[in-house]
Amino acid sequence: MGKPLIIVESPTKARTLKKFLGSEFNIKSSVGHIKNLPEKSLGVDIENGFSPQYQIIKGKGKILAEIKKAAKEAEAVYLAPDPDREGEAIAWHIQEEIKGRKKDIYRASFNEFTKKAVLKALENPGRPDENKYNAQKARRVLDRLVGYQISPILWKKVRRGLSAGRVQSVVVRLICEREQEIRSFVPKEYWTIEVELSGKTPPPFIAKLIRIDSKKAEIGDEEGAEQIRDNLQDAEFRVLKLEKKERARHPTPPFITSKLQQEAARKLHFSAKKTMLIAQRLYEGVELGREGSVGLITYMRTDSPRIAGEALEMVRSHIVTRFGPDYLPERPNFYKSKKGAQEAHEAIRPTSLEFEPDKIKQYLAKDELALYELVWNRFLASQMRPALYDQTIVDISADNYLFRVVGSILKFPGFISVYLEGQDEPEEEKEGVLPELKQGEILKLLGIKPEQHFTQPPPRFTESTLVKELEEKGIGRPSTYALILSTILERDYVEKEKRNFLPTELGLLVTELLVESFPQILNVEFTAEMEESLDEIERGKQSWTESLARFYQPFEASLEQALTQMRDVKREQIPSDVICEKCGAQMVIRWGRNGKFLACPNYPKCRYTRELTEEKGGELAEEKTEEELCDKCGKPMVVKSGRYGKFLACSGYPDCRNTRPLGKESEKPEVTEEICEKCGGHLVIKKARTGNRFLACENYPKCKNAKSFPIGVQCPQCGGQLVERSSARRKLFYGCGNYPSCRFAEWNKPVPEHCPQCGSPYLVEKYDKTSELTVSCPVKECGYSRAGSRESE
């Protein structure tokens, strides 16, 4: 009889388990999901209860064969993927493949990846949860029905390659609607008045006008502000009311998934995707020298602030030791979960307070340490006493005007000595120190300050505020936020300007079409109700097939209607006031791969086009003209957009086809220390129009010597240098400099670093349009991945 078999989904977790359990168990990794719906077909049998037609994922056959062989020989099998819906689906699919073996199959769930927690889970295993699997299956089928049936309509009506998602499309709608609010916003003028006063003792202080004739102070223009200023010049300022009280500021709960994403965005400027990648690594295990691989935080996908009794004892003891008994509340602080929260998992916390951030920082990457400190400090603070303030509120009368000032002095720091939650928007009122004042005291007027303001439009969403909005509206689940935000960026429906989300022209167009044709799918409340239905399926209170049937009947009718009634943007031609310079026809606005453009209606006889962009205010603008002139024909140069971004082109096109790079590409090339072997000049780094860099002689065009740009990584096949190259379709890749004798090539940028899991001689950097960077193993079966650092760029 063979050893018991434990199956996890991650090679990193498998490695950590081996260190915990030694040779007593056989441990295998599925490297994520082993089954999925087919890529090139719907894969859902709608007529037969929405039955999903799962297939073994390409490349997973060998892994599955090894798992089957190990299961056949094992005395018992423990399925131990992550304790969430996706993990349950992995466990269920593995069970389906090995259930023919006459062995006991158990489900082991680890909320934290420590030896103690693992042994406890193995001693008390459960069974795979069919309800949780059904909830995942319903969500997967639901998303497939929406995505694979709406997307072809967009291909037909707008352009090929577009896609729609059940949740992602709703998130894009929120961003589009916020942008429309901003564009239609009309600022309104208003004024505030503050006075500087002094009492019998220093310091002087500022009070703000809050009421006029017992009504809220509303000053609409400068004339009104000046009138009040004149009235106050000779007024008597008297302390009308003085209230002193002790105010407590209570700590925030330990992190749940959504709050971790929000706070990491505020304080560390991490995207939700980056936060979850780093948290996954901290959960699965980090090498801590002699300690070996240690899971530093509990499971990071949770919506419950619950803390286990053992952990409460641990943190309370730590608080007394480090801060003293004054910082420890008499009883532990308990926090309520929001309605519908899953209580299966604890809040996100450190697995052990032995591993203080300062003690283990040498083993952690910069971003890992930053996130770990955030989790550590929030957990400690959540179990400390409140901060106490002595607060004074003073109301001051001046004829029929009422002013107020609030002073606050920190009396006891409590939890804020460790942690204070970040704010998406700065607090409006700042409290300061007030002098000793008495009721009825006459105050001296030192100055009057009227100030003009204008109402502001609602701010654009950031990572933090968008996650907060999704959580409040019940759209998606915290475990899916990172994927949602990265997906809408990758699909070019939104973009980021600094830290703010803006809809692209494509996003605005697609959202408009989908809202018109699929109002139910794009409805925020409906999307939230579907999430609640999935929760009910997980609790076993609702049938997954009946839930899908209720959704599909009206959706099917919308599909049929959209096929015939959705606006056909691809064939649309909107008349404009611009005259074609070649044939004199009135040009039309059309939609192309790069957005709107002006085209001659006499195509193909006349092929003249001009760029047309939509400004942020919503107005159309023709191509911009630069001040510089064409060095070939003397006509003005204009800014155009092409396949590789914006560039300068002669306005005399097609008679003059002169073009010039715009922006960084037109800057002076960087000089290297490498010497040209032909003329002795220095080689400089240049960038080809295809995007790849190359080395060229600084004496060009006298010397035309050039060669490929090396990236500092040896070829794993022949030992030569890897260089930047571009494909026939102008896509950047990395190939061996000894080509054609060596044909090694890699699409992702190689990194000169061995894989810590499988020993691959190099890793690769992967970028996406969220501007996030990951470093991964190129061996698919390995699955190693970690968050990258911008310092490496």
Side-chain angles (χ1 to χ4, degrees), residues 530-580:
M530 288 305 304
E531 295 296 341
E532 290 176 8
S533 292
L534 295 176
D535 291 342
E536 290 293 292
I537 293 167
E538 183 171 338
R539 298 185 189 105
K541 296 181 178 180
Q542 198 172 118
S543 163
W544 74 274
T545 53
E546 290 176 5
S547 179
L548 287 177
R550 286 196 300 273
F551 157 81
Y552 194 73
Q553 188 175 1
F555 175 62
E556 188 177 28
S558 296
L559 281 171
E560 293 176 2
Q561 192 173 17
L563 281 168
T564 57
Q565 297 185 15
M566 182 183 281
R567 183 175 141 210
D568 197 339
V569 177
K570 189 183 287 186
R571 293 170 177 80
E572 233 174 30
Q573 296 188 17
I574 303 171
S576 77
D577 296 330
V578 182
I579 303 301
C580 175

Coordinates of all heavy atoms in Angstrom, one line a residue, residues 530-580:
M530 N -27.6 38.4 -9.3 CA -27.0 37.2 -9.7 C -25.9 36.7 -8.8 O -25.7 35.5 -8.5 CB -26.4 37.4 -11.1 CG -27.4 37.5 -12.3 SD -28.6 36.1 -12.3 CE -27.5 34.7 -12.5
E531 N -25.1 37.7 -8.2 CA -24.1 37.3 -7.3 C -24.7 36.7 -6.0 O -24.2 35.7 -5.4 CB -23.2 38.5 -6.9 CG -22.4 39.1 -8.0 CD -21.4 38.1 -8.5 OE1 -21.0 37.1 -7.8 OE2 -20.9 38.3 -9.7
E532 N -25.9 37.2 -5.6 CA -26.6 36.7 -4.4 C -27.1 35.3 -4.7 O -27.1 34.4 -3.9 CB -27.7 37.6 -4.0 CG -27.2 38.9 -3.4 CD -28.4 39.9 -3.1 OE1 -29.6 39.5 -3.3 OE2 -28.1 41.1 -2.8
S533 N -27.6 35.1 -6.0 CA -28.0 33.7 -6.4 C -26.9 32.7 -6.3 O -27.1 31.6 -5.9 CB -28.6 33.8 -7.8 OG -29.8 34.6 -7.9
L534 N -25.7 33.1 -6.7 CA -24.5 32.2 -6.6 C -24.2 31.9 -5.2 O -23.9 30.7 -4.9 CB -23.3 32.9 -7.3 CG -23.4 33.1 -8.8 CD1 -22.2 33.8 -9.3 CD2 -23.6 31.8 -9.6
D535 N -24.4 32.9 -4.3 CA -24.2 32.6 -2.9 C -25.2 31.6 -2.4 O -24.9 30.7 -1.5 CB -24.2 33.9 -2.1 CG -23.1 34.8 -2.4 OD1 -22.0 34.3 -2.9 OD2 -23.1 36.0 -2.1
E536 N -26.5 31.8 -2.8 CA -27.5 30.9 -2.4 C -27.3 29.5 -2.9 O -27.6 28.5 -2.2 CB -28.9 31.4 -2.9 CG -29.4 32.7 -2.2 CD -29.7 32.4 -0.8 OE1 -30.7 31.7 -0.5 OE2 -29.0 32.9 0.1
I537 N -26.8 29.3 -4.1 CA -26.4 28.0 -4.6 C -25.3 27.4 -3.7 O -25.4 26.2 -3.4 CB -25.9 28.1 -6.1 CG1 -27.1 28.6 -7.0 CG2 -25.4 26.8 -6.6 CD1 -26.6 29.0 -8.4
E538 N -24.3 28.2 -3.3 CA -23.3 27.6 -2.5 C -23.8 27.2 -1.1 O -23.3 26.2 -0.6 CB -22.2 28.7 -2.3 CG -21.0 28.2 -1.5 CD -19.9 29.2 -1.5 OE1 -19.8 30.0 -2.4 OE2 -19.0 29.1 -0.5
R539 N -24.9 27.9 -0.7 CA -25.4 27.5 0.6 C -26.4 26.3 0.5 O -27.0 25.8 1.5 CB -26.2 28.7 1.3 CG -25.3 29.9 1.6 CD -26.1 30.9 2.3 NE -25.3 32.2 2.4 CZ -25.5 33.3 1.7 NH1 -26.5 33.3 0.8 NH2 -24.7 34.3 1.9
G540 N -26.6 25.9 -0.7 CA -27.5 24.7 -1.0 C -29.0 25.1 -0.9 O -29.9 24.3 -0.9
K541 N -29.3 26.4 -1.1 CA -30.7 26.9 -1.0 C -31.3 27.2 -2.3 O -32.4 27.6 -2.4 CB -30.7 28.2 -0.1 CG -30.3 27.9 1.3 CD -30.4 29.2 2.2 CE -30.0 29.0 3.6 NZ -30.1 30.2 4.4
Q542 N -30.5 26.9 -3.4 CA -31.1 27.2 -4.7 C -30.4 26.3 -5.7 O -29.3 25.9 -5.6 CB -30.7 28.7 -5.1 CG -31.5 29.3 -6.2 CD -31.3 30.7 -6.4 OE1 -30.8 31.2 -7.5 NE2 -31.6 31.6 -5.4
S543 N -31.2 25.8 -6.7 CA -30.7 24.9 -7.8 C -29.9 25.8 -8.8 O -30.4 26.8 -9.3 CB -31.9 24.2 -8.4 OG -31.5 23.6 -9.7
W544 N -28.8 25.3 -9.2 CA -27.9 26.1 -10.1 C -28.6 26.1 -11.5 O -28.5 27.0 -12.2 CB -26.5 25.5 -10.2 CG -26.3 24.2 -10.9 CD1 -26.4 23.0 -10.4 CD2 -25.9 24.1 -12.2 NE1 -26.1 22.0 -11.3 CE2 -25.8 22.7 -12.5 CE3 -25.6 24.9 -13.3 CZ2 -25.4 22.1 -13.7 CZ3 -25.2 24.4 -14.5 CH2 -25.1 23.0 -14.7
T545 N -29.2 25.0 -11.9 CA -29.8 24.9 -13.2 C -31.1 25.8 -13.3 O -31.3 26.5 -14.3 CB -30.2 23.5 -13.6 OG1 -31.0 22.9 -12.5 CG2 -29.0 22.6 -13.8
E546 N -31.9 25.8 -12.2 CA -33.1 26.7 -12.2 C -32.7 28.1 -12.2 O -33.3 29.0 -12.9 CB -33.9 26.4 -11.0 CG -34.6 25.0 -11.0 CD -35.3 24.7 -9.7 OE1 -35.4 25.6 -8.8 OE2 -35.9 23.5 -9.6
S547 N -31.6 28.5 -11.5 CA -31.1 29.9 -11.5 C -30.7 30.3 -12.9 O -31.0 31.4 -13.4 CB -29.9 30.0 -10.6 OG -29.5 31.3 -10.5
L548 N -30.0 29.4 -13.6 CA -29.6 29.7 -15.0 C -30.8 29.8 -15.9 O -30.8 30.7 -16.8 CB -28.6 28.7 -15.5 CG -27.2 28.7 -14.9 CD1 -26.3 27.6 -15.5 CD2 -26.5 30.1 -15.2
A549 N -31.8 29.0 -15.7 CA -32.9 29.0 -16.6 C -33.7 30.3 -16.5 O -34.2 30.9 -17.5 CB -33.9 27.8 -16.2
R550 N -33.8 30.8 -15.2 CA -34.5 32.1 -15.0 C -33.8 33.2 -15.7 O -34.4 34.2 -16.2 CB -34.6 32.4 -13.5 CG -35.6 31.6 -12.8 CD -36.0 32.2 -11.4 NE -34.8 32.3 -10.6 CZ -34.3 31.3 -9.8 NH1 -35.0 30.2 -9.7 NH2 -33.3 31.4 -9.1
F551 N -32.5 33.1 -15.8 CA -31.7 34.2 -16.4 C -31.7 34.1 -17.9 O -31.9 35.1 -18.6 CB -30.2 34.1 -16.0 CG -29.2 34.7 -17.0 CD1 -29.0 36.0 -17.0 CD2 -28.5 33.9 -17.9 CE1 -28.1 36.6 -17.9 CE2 -27.6 34.4 -18.8 CZ -27.4 35.8 -18.8
Y552 N -31.7 32.8 -18.5 CA -31.5 32.7 -19.9 C -32.7 33.0 -20.8 O -32.5 33.5 -21.9 CB -31.0 31.2 -20.2 CG -30.5 31.1 -21.6 CD1 -29.2 31.6 -21.9 CD2 -31.2 30.5 -22.6 CE1 -28.7 31.5 -23.2 CE2 -30.7 30.4 -23.9 CZ -29.4 30.9 -24.2 OH -28.9 30.8 -25.4
Q553 N -33.9 32.8 -20.3 CA -35.1 33.1 -21.1 C -35.1 34.5 -21.6 O -35.2 34.7 -22.8 CB -36.3 32.7 -20.3 CG -37.6 32.7 -21.2 CD -38.8 32.3 -20.5 OE1 -38.7 31.9 -19.3 NE2 -39.9 32.2 -21.1
P554 N -35.0 35.5 -20.7 CA -35.1 36.9 -21.3 C -33.8 37.2 -22.0 O -33.8 38.0 -23.0 CB -35.2 37.8 -20.0 CG -34.7 36.9 -18.9 CD -35.1 35.5 -19.3
F555 N -32.7 36.6 -21.6 CA -31.4 36.9 -22.3 C -31.4 36.4 -23.8 O -31.0 37.1 -24.7 CB -30.2 36.2 -21.5 CG -28.9 36.3 -22.2 CD1 -28.3 37.6 -22.4 CD2 -28.2 35.2 -22.6 CE1 -27.1 37.7 -23.1 CE2 -27.0 35.3 -23.3 CZ -26.4 36.6 -23.5
E556 N -32.0 35.3 -24.0 CA -32.1 34.7 -25.3 C -32.9 35.6 -26.2 O -32.6 35.8 -27.4 CB -32.8 33.3 -25.3 CG -32.7 32.6 -26.6 CD -33.3 31.2 -26.4 OE1 -34.2 31.0 -25.6 OE2 -32.9 30.3 -27.2
A557 N -34.0 36.2 -25.7 CA -34.8 37.1 -26.5 C -34.0 38.4 -26.8 O -34.1 38.9 -28.0 CB -36.1 37.5 -25.7
S558 N -33.2 38.9 -25.9 CA -32.4 40.1 -26.2 C -31.3 39.8 -27.2 O -31.0 40.6 -28.1 CB -31.7 40.5 -24.9 OG -32.6 40.9 -23.9
L559 N -30.8 38.6 -27.3 CA -29.8 38.2 -28.3 C -30.4 38.2 -29.7 O -29.8 38.8 -30.6 CB -29.3 36.8 -28.0 CG -28.2 36.6 -26.9 CD1 -28.0 35.1 -26.7 CD2 -26.9 37.2 -27.3
E560 N -31.6 37.7 -29.8 CA -32.3 37.7 -31.1 C -32.6 39.1 -31.6 O -32.4 39.4 -32.8 CB -33.6 36.8 -31.0 CG -33.3 35.4 -30.8 CD -34.6 34.6 -30.6 OE1 -35.7 35.2 -30.7 OE2 -34.5 33.4 -30.3
Q561 N -33.0 39.9 -30.6 CA -33.3 41.3 -31.0 C -32.1 42.1 -31.4 O -32.1 42.9 -32.3 CB -34.0 42.0 -29.8 CG -34.6 43.3 -30.1 CD -35.4 43.8 -28.9 OE1 -35.3 43.4 -27.8 NE2 -36.3 44.8 -29.2
A562 N -30.9 41.9 -30.7 CA -29.7 42.6 -30.9 C -29.1 42.3 -32.3 O -28.6 43.2 -33.0 CB -28.7 42.3 -29.9
L563 N -29.3 41.1 -32.8 CA -28.8 40.7 -34.1 C -29.4 41.5 -35.2 O -28.7 41.8 -36.2 CB -29.1 39.2 -34.3 CG -28.2 38.2 -33.7 CD1 -28.8 36.8 -33.8 CD2 -26.8 38.2 -34.3
T564 N -30.6 42.0 -35.1 CA -31.2 42.7 -36.1 C -31.3 44.2 -35.8 O -31.3 45.1 -36.7 CB -32.7 42.2 -36.4 OG1 -33.4 42.3 -35.1 CG2 -32.6 40.8 -36.9
Q565 N -31.3 44.6 -34.5 CA -31.6 46.0 -34.2 C -30.4 46.8 -33.6 O -30.5 48.0 -33.6 CB -32.8 46.0 -33.1 CG -34.1 45.5 -33.7 CD -35.2 45.7 -32.7 OE1 -35.1 46.4 -31.7 NE2 -36.3 45.0 -32.9
M566 N -29.3 46.1 -33.2 CA -28.2 46.8 -32.7 C -27.6 47.7 -33.8 O -27.5 47.2 -35.0 CB -27.1 45.9 -32.2 CG -25.9 46.6 -31.6 SD -24.6 45.5 -31.0 CE -25.2 45.0 -29.4
R567 N -27.2 48.9 -33.5 CA -26.6 49.8 -34.4 C -25.4 49.2 -35.1 O -24.5 48.7 -34.5 CB -26.2 51.1 -33.6 CG -25.7 52.2 -34.4 CD -25.5 53.4 -33.5 NE -24.3 54.1 -33.8 CZ -23.5 54.7 -32.9 NH1 -23.9 54.7 -31.6 NH2 -22.4 55.4 -33.3
D568 N -25.4 49.3 -36.4 CA -24.3 48.7 -37.2 C -23.2 49.8 -37.4 O -23.1 50.5 -38.4 CB -24.8 48.3 -38.6 CG -23.8 47.3 -39.2 OD1 -22.6 47.3 -38.9 OD2 -24.2 46.5 -40.1
V569 N -22.3 49.9 -36.4 CA -21.3 51.0 -36.4 C -20.3 50.8 -37.6 O -19.8 51.7 -38.2 CB -20.6 51.0 -35.1 CG1 -19.4 52.0 -35.1 CG2 -21.5 51.3 -34.0
K570 N -20.0 49.5 -37.9 CA -19.0 49.2 -38.9 C -19.4 49.8 -40.2 O -18.5 50.2 -41.0 CB -18.9 47.7 -39.0 CG -17.7 47.2 -39.9 CD -17.7 45.7 -40.0 CE -17.3 45.0 -38.7 NZ -17.1 43.5 -38.9
R571 N -20.7 49.9 -40.6 CA -21.1 50.4 -41.9 C -21.6 51.8 -41.8 O -22.1 52.3 -42.8 CB -22.1 49.4 -42.5 CG -21.6 48.1 -42.8 CD -22.7 47.1 -43.2 NE -22.1 45.8 -43.6 CZ -21.6 44.9 -42.7 NH1 -21.7 45.1 -41.4 NH2 -21.1 43.8 -43.2
E572 N -21.6 52.4 -40.6 CA -22.1 53.7 -40.5 C -21.2 54.8 -41.1 O -20.0 54.7 -41.1 CB -22.2 54.1 -39.0 CG -23.5 54.5 -38.5 CD -23.5 54.7 -37.0 OE1 -22.5 55.0 -36.4 OE2 -24.6 54.5 -36.4
Q573 N -21.9 55.8 -41.7 CA -21.2 56.9 -42.3 C -21.9 58.2 -41.9 O -23.0 58.5 -42.4 CB -21.1 56.8 -43.9 CG -20.3 55.6 -44.3 CD -20.1 55.6 -45.8 OE1 -20.2 56.6 -46.5 NE2 -19.7 54.5 -46.4
I574 N -21.3 59.0 -41.1 CA -21.9 60.2 -40.6 C -21.4 61.4 -41.3 O -20.1 61.6 -41.3 CB -21.7 60.4 -39.0 CG1 -22.2 59.1 -38.3 CG2 -22.3 61.6 -38.5 CD1 -21.8 59.1 -36.8
P575 N -22.2 62.2 -42.0 CA -21.7 63.4 -42.7 C -21.0 64.4 -41.8 O -21.3 64.5 -40.7 CB -23.0 64.0 -43.3 CG -24.0 62.9 -43.3 CD -23.7 62.0 -42.1
S576 N -19.9 65.0 -42.4 CA -19.2 66.0 -41.7 C -19.1 67.3 -42.5 O -19.6 67.3 -43.7 CB -17.8 65.5 -41.4 OG -17.0 65.6 -42.5
D577 N -18.6 68.4 -42.0 CA -18.4 69.6 -42.7 C -17.1 69.7 -43.4 O -16.8 70.8 -44.0 CB -18.5 70.8 -41.7 CG -19.9 70.9 -41.1 OD1 -20.9 70.4 -41.7 OD2 -20.0 71.3 -39.9
V578 N -16.3 68.7 -43.3 CA -14.9 68.7 -43.9 C -15.0 68.3 -45.4 O -15.7 67.3 -45.7 CB -14.0 67.8 -43.1 CG1 -12.5 67.8 -43.7 CG2 -14.0 68.2 -41.6
I579 N -14.3 69.0 -46.2 CA -14.2 68.7 -47.7 C -13.0 68.0 -48.0 O -11.9 68.3 -47.5 CB -14.3 70.0 -48.5 CG1 -15.5 70.9 -48.1 CG2 -14.2 69.7 -50.0 CD1 -16.8 70.1 -48.4
C580 N -13.1 66.9 -48.8 CA -12.0 66.1 -49.2 C -11.1 66.9 -50.1 O -11.5 67.6 -51.0 CB -12.5 64.9 -50.0 SG -11.2 63.9 -50.7

